[in-house]
Amino acid sequence: MRQLSLFKGQRQRGEEPPPLEFAVHVVLADLIRATIAPGWRATHLPLGEVRDHAINKYGRRYSPSGTRLKRMGVTPGWPDWMFVGLNRRVCFIELKRARKGRLSVAQSDIAQHLKACDIPYLCTNSINEAVAFLKAHGIVRATIQV
């Protein structure tokens, strides 16, 4: 269902609401900014964004920005969040849309690789699970509650 804007005219078509995954990412980002422990750094890796498409000279659709990123070395499957701490500690979190999220083949391969390397990795659709994971690894203060 499309949402109408309060700040646009009467003859609008509306916009698609943001996906549920976006809302979880924003909540987690705000929480991390407010409570990240000293010695830790975090970033969201927006590698799976929807990209604009164009038509090449052969009439095929392609993504100019996606092609450029691939040429620069971006590979599919990396988790959404990366956390790096002192003493070479690294953790990853993959957030999925509630109940519908499934790992792609590339995401599953990366998850297996990270686990084989004994790097903490979590795939979840729950903000509570993500916060519990972050607390367990000392990335955010243990006193916070969602």
Side-chain angles (χ1 to χ4, degrees):
M1 184 168 181
R2 300 176 80 77
Q3 292 180 341
L4 301 179
S5 172
L6 295 174
F7 304 105
K8 293 184 179 178
Q10 291 180 339
R11 301 180 83 182
Q12 56 181 312
R13 296 180 186 199
E15 299 174 356
E16 290 294 323
L20 297 176
E21 192 174 341
F22 175 79
V24 175
H25 279 276
V26 170
V27 169
L28 189 61
D30 291 343
L31 185 136
I32 290 166
R33 275 192 285 275
T35 64
I36 193 160
W40 281 95
R41 297 290 184 265
T43 191
H44 179 266
L45 305 171
L47 304 178
E49 294 284 316
V50 175
R51 312 231 184 264
D52 292 333
H53 287 86
I55 305 296
N56 67 11
K57 64 181 179 180
Y58 305 108
R60 295 190 183 123
R61 284 176 40 134
Y62 77 104
S63 168
S65 58
T67 302
R68 186 169 186 231
L69 289 171
K70 191 180 288 187
R71 181 70 178 103
M72 292 170 59
V74 171
T75 55
W78 283 93
D80 298 318
W81 285 91
M82 179 174 68
F83 305 90
V84 179
L86 298 175
N87 300 325
R88 299 181 185 166
R89 295 183 295 169
V90 178
C91 296
F92 290 91
I93 294 179
E94 173 67 32
L95 292 174
K96 299 311 270 179
R97 186 179 292 198
R99 293 190 206 114
K100 293 184 181 180
R102 292 189 182 151
L103 292 177
S104 68
V105 173
Q107 288 173 325
S108 183
D109 288 345
I110 292 291
Q112 289 174 5
H113 178 74
L114 293 172
K115 290 174 184 177
C117 294
D118 203 26
I119 295 173
Y121 168 86
L122 173 70
C123 178
T124 185
N125 61 11
S126 165
I127 191 72
N128 291 328
E129 283 182 25
V131 170
F133 176 84
L134 295 173
K135 284 181 181 181
H137 291 285
I139 299 169
V140 296
R141 292 190 294 258
T143 57
I144 66 157
Q145 294 183 3
V146 179

